[in-house]
Amino acid sequence: MNGAVHRNRWSILQIVNMGTLISTLDVGIVNVTLPTMSEQFGVSLSQIQWVATAYLLTMVALLPFMGKLSDRWDRRKIYSWGFLLFSVGSVCIALSNGLASILLSRILQGVGATMIMANSQAMVRQLFPDRERGRALGMNAVVISIGTMSGPALGGLMLEVVDWPWLFWINVPIGLCAFVLGLRWFPSAEAGQDRSPFDVFGSFLLAAGTCLLMFAAEGGKENGFTTPILLQGAAGLVLFAVLWFAQRNMAYGILDRELFGRRKIALGNASSFFINLAQTATLIPIAFYLQGPLGLSPWSVGLLLIVQPLLMGVAAPIAGWVRDRYGAWFPITAGSLLCAASMLFVAALPNVTVLGIALQLALFGVGVGLFHATNNAEIMSDAPDRKISLAGSLLAMVRYLGNIAGIGIATLLVGSMTLGDSLGDGASASMDLRMRILFGICFLFCLGVAGMGKLRPKDKPTTTEIGA
């Protein structure tokens, strides 16, 4: 990478943040549009839900494959063309006149998002020396929190004044701008550094198993764990078991032995799985419990839920700075301990109250902000140069697997919660107990992540790099 590009690395980071922003905004905006789209096209909410599910399934299925492909070719082109494909998919959705065309367009948009997500972390690794990666990924975490917070609000506001297609049109100028600037500014990587064969069979098993687990988690959230849904989940777990045994002696497997043979990468991905599981599992019932037994208005619940991503956005840059200056052990361990402690405000207090939930959201937001920015920087810094896109895509895959597992656990324990529940009745007392059990389980998961900190190396970022 030449000196001019290296000097502009903080400006180039903003293009990376564009991809993060449109992908996080899109999820929230789409969820807001589903009831309107359902009414316009005359389909049920369970059918229109596929607009959201198809997007996620596409990314889950293609992330590892796209990561490996990016390590073989020039990731600058794959990343930049991902913006263009995302924009084209958005245009196609906005112009669609039926559910089938929307789903096909959503899959196209998902392919573009996969090309972006598989390389976002890798681009940061390529742009920044190790001593600056924590701060760079901390800034990226701020963009994640902004997109998460503003997506539903922006979507709801726009629907008051424009039709739903305009919620997809707004992706187009951002995507096209990032496409042009990316081709001009992104540093080129040496193509073909990783010449190992593609693991087609492993990629299929991983995609199929993940899809089955996602179907089971989403179906359980909507209909409860019926026998067909349990069979779907069991089939997904069987495919993962087959994948694990098939990969043990495969040098070029999709679960890369070289990557997961490195302690920082193995512990980092395991930690990320459990933290994301705990975050998803606890957020799902909180909104229902606040509106149901605790009787808060939707507006009040929305304001309260903003607390977590807001404090995450504040804590992440601080964590990145601490990691770059003093090392990663403290922010990762402190972050996971704060996540664990936050669960006690629901699991251990005499009653589940609004104040307890607010404290849980706030403390977990700080903890997850400290954890993610630092953990991501450690994983990407430890990956070999020829496999940084694969490392980034597997990190994203682990995040989705944690989310799926969190949905499954929450549905299993508190899936019968409704907005009609009220304090003082027998159903509410039973739900209160199951809420405590759920948060207690998540406390143990987060505490286990903190315990993994003892196994992490306590080295500091290198200061001799001048660029990647």
Side-chain angles (χ1 to χ4, degrees):
M1 174 167 153
N2 61 47
V5 175
H6 182 268
R7 287 195 298 271
N8 291 331
R9 62 194 180 278
W10 291 103
S11 298
I12 300 172
L13 176 64
Q14 305 317 312
I15 306 175
V16 177
N17 287 338
M18 283 185 189
T20 301
L21 181 63
I22 59 177
S23 61
T24 53
L25 271 175
D26 196 69
V27 174
I29 284 178
V30 166
N31 288 335
V32 171
T33 66
L34 293 182
T36 303
M37 296 167 69
S38 172
E39 182 179 1
Q40 177 175 333
F41 297 117
V43 297
S44 66
L45 282 176
S46 61
Q47 290 175 303
I48 204 67
Q49 181 66 34
W50 278 98
V51 174
T53 305
Y55 180 76
L56 293 174
L57 284 178
T58 301
M59 289 193 292
V60 166
L62 293 181
L63 266 169
F65 174 82
M66 197 63 70
K68 195 171 184 68
L69 183 67
S70 300
D71 286 326
R72 293 175 68 106
W73 293 353
D74 187 350
R75 70 176 55 89
R76 174 182 70 98
K77 294 181 179 179
I78 293 177
Y79 191 46
S80 299
W81 282 93
F83 284 105
L84 180 62
L85 204 59
F86 187 90
S87 300
V88 171
S90 298
V91 171
C92 293
I93 294 172
L95 296 176
S96 295
N97 55 9
L99 180 59
S101 58
I102 288 179
L103 291 179
L104 291 174
S105 302
R106 190 68 167 154
I107 291 172
L108 179 64
Q109 190 186 42
V111 174
T114 305
M115 295 166 70
I116 296 170
M117 290 185 62
N119 290 290
S120 294
Q121 306 278 356
M123 293 304 300
V124 174
R125 159 66 187 268
Q126 190 174 339
L127 285 167
F128 290 89
D130 188 27
R131 65 181 183 274
E132 294 179 347
R133 285 180 197 139
R135 280 174 286 169
L137 289 170
M139 290 180 62
N140 189 252
V142 173
V143 176
I144 292 174
S145 67
I146 292 173
T148 302
M149 287 188 295
S150 58
L154 179 61
L157 180 62
M158 291 185 65
L159 283 178
E160 293 292 329
V161 294
V162 298
D163 293 331
W164 67 263
W166 284 100
L167 276 67
F168 293 94
W169 282 116
I170 64 172
N171 293 327
V172 178
I174 300 175
L176 292 179
C177 179
F179 167 65
V180 174
L181 293 177
L183 288 178
R184 291 184 59 186
W185 286 4
F186 285 156
S188 296
E190 182 181 347
Q193 294 186 68
D194 181 14
R195 304 307 301 173
S196 60
F198 282 106
D199 179 15
V200 177
F201 181 63
S203 298
F204 169 77
L205 288 177
L206 183 60
T210 306
C211 289
L212 284 171
L213 289 177
M214 181 175 287
F215 283 140
E218 290 293 332
K221 184 171 64 173
E222 188 171 325
N223 305 310
F225 283 104
T226 62
T227 299
I229 290 174
L230 289 174
L231 289 176
Q232 280 184 342
L237 293 176
V238 168
L239 290 182
F240 273 114
V242 174
L243 174 65
W244 175 261
F245 284 107
Q247 297 278 299
R248 288 186 303 168
N249 298 315
M250 185 178 293
Y252 59 89
I254 198 67
L255 300 180
D256 194 275
R257 289 170 58 189
E258 181 181 7
L259 289 178
F260 287 100
R262 295 171 178 250
R263 187 187 301 181
K264 285 184 180 180
I265 293 177
L267 289 175
N269 278 284
S271 300
S272 179
F273 174 84
F274 287 112
I275 291 293
N276 281 288
L277 183 157
Q279 184 175 26
T280 303
T282 51
L283 275 178
I284 288 174
I286 278 178
F288 277 88
Y289 202 87
L290 288 171
Q291 291 187 63
L294 297 180
L296 268 66
S297 67
W299 173 252
S300 300
V301 172
L303 288 178
L304 197 58
L305 292 178
I306 286 176
V307 169
Q308 188 177 107
L310 179 64
L311 291 180
M312 172 187 170
V314 172
I318 298 173
W321 179 84
V322 172
R323 180 261 175 195
D324 293 341
R325 190 174 181 88
Y326 301 107
W329 183 85
F330 176 76
I332 288 178
T333 304
S336 51
L337 284 174
L338 287 176
C339 290
S342 74
M343 302 298 170
L344 298 179
F345 287 109
V346 175
L349 291 181
N351 298 299
V352 180
T353 64
V354 174
L355 178 59
I357 289 176
L359 291 172
Q360 190 278 326
L361 290 169
L363 200 59
F364 193 92
V366 174
V368 81
L370 293 174
F371 173 84
H372 275 313
T374 314
N375 188 61
N376 292 354
E378 287 293 280
I379 290 174
M380 295 309 300
S381 294
D382 199 42
D385 289 340
R386 67 186 185 279
K387 294 184 177 181
I388 56 176
S389 287
L390 180 59
S393 65
L394 289 175
L395 177 59
M397 169 66 74
V398 167
R399 181 171 66 247
Y400 283 120
L401 290 176
N403 293 338
I404 294 169
I407 292 171
I409 290 178
T411 304
L412 182 64
L413 289 173
V414 295
S416 60
M417 184 185 299
T418 67
L419 296 181
D421 295 335
S422 59
L423 290 176
D425 58 22
S428 177
S430 173
M431 188 58 63
D432 185 276
L433 175 61
R434 282 181 281 171
M435 278 276 286
R436 293 173 183 280
I437 293 174
L438 174 63
F439 277 75
I441 291 173
C442 292
F443 165 79
L444 295 177
F445 284 147
C446 295
L447 195 64
V449 171
M452 292 182 192
K454 294 184 178 181
L455 303 176
R456 291 178 178 267
K458 296 183 180 181
D459 52 343
K460 294 182 179 180
T462 58
T463 58
T464 58
E465 290 180 82
I466 61 172

